[in-house]
Structures are given as structure tokens and as C-alpha cells.
Amino acid sequence: MQSPVMPLLIEQARKRRDEQSARAQAALQGVNQALGTLRQLQDFRTDYLRRSPASSGQAMHVDRLQDFQRFLARLGQANGQQRQEVERRQQVQAEA
């Protein structure tokens, strides 16, 4: 005969398992979203460089060149921040 406590213990174990599974799934989804954003930033930077007048060797006004360089620097910063976010989310996933 089963103890009256056994069904309660089984239910608690199932609940913990389900909660852990939900945390792991949410963490994986977070990693995938962060990686997707990082890919978009990288693709945008590649496309921006490809379409820029600087890539075709065309002359560029100094002001426009400085704007171009500043924008590339900002894209680089965004890329770095997003890489950090990916790493942070991967750490959360590892701990889930």
C-alpha cells in the first residue's frame, strides 16, 4: 500500500521538473533571440560597408567620411554589446 505522502512527493517532483523545463526553454529562446539580433547587426554592417562609396573607391567629402566612420564605430559598439548579451544569456541558459 502506498503512503499518502507518496502522491504528494510525486506531484512536487513533477512540478519542479516542469518548472525547470520551462526555465531551460525560456533561456534557450533568449539565447536564440540574442543570436538573431547579433546576426542582423553583423549583416547590416556588412551590407552598409558593401554599399558605401568608400568601398567602391569613390571620392567622399571629409564630413561624409567622418559621419561614415562614426556610424561604423557605433555599429561596432552595438555589435560588442550584443555579443555581451549573447554571452550573458548563454550563462543564464547554462545555469537553468
Side-chain angles (χ1 to χ4, degrees):
M1 180 169 156
Q2 239 184 10
S3 158
V5 175
M6 188 59 77
L8 179 60
L9 292 174
I10 292 171
E11 181 57 33
Q12 288 174 345
R14 284 182 180 148
K15 184 178 178 181
R16 280 193 305 273
R17 179 202 61 202
D18 293 347
E19 288 169 352
Q20 176 65 25
S21 177
R23 279 193 303 275
Q25 183 63 32
L28 177 61
Q29 187 176 18
V31 169
N32 288 336
Q33 286 175 335
L35 284 170
T37 300
L38 180 59
R39 274 191 292 277
Q40 287 178 331
L41 281 168
Q42 291 169 334
D43 290 347
F44 180 78
R45 184 179 187 279
T46 299
D47 188 51
Y48 184 72
L49 284 170
R50 184 182 52 79
R51 292 183 296 127
S52 76
S55 69
S56 62
Q58 296 176 0
M60 212 179 200
H61 191 274
V62 172
D63 290 339
R64 188 164 179 215
L65 178 60
Q66 288 173 338
D67 289 343
F68 175 77
Q69 290 172 335
R70 276 192 292 271
F71 187 68
L72 279 180
R74 290 290 295 141
L75 279 175
Q77 290 171 350
N79 243 315
Q81 289 171 345
Q82 192 60 32
R83 272 192 218 100
Q84 289 175 344
E85 180 65 12
V86 167
E87 290 170 8
R88 186 189 69 77
R89 290 186 183 210
Q90 287 172 332
Q91 182 64 36
V92 167
Q93 181 187 18
E95 293 170 0

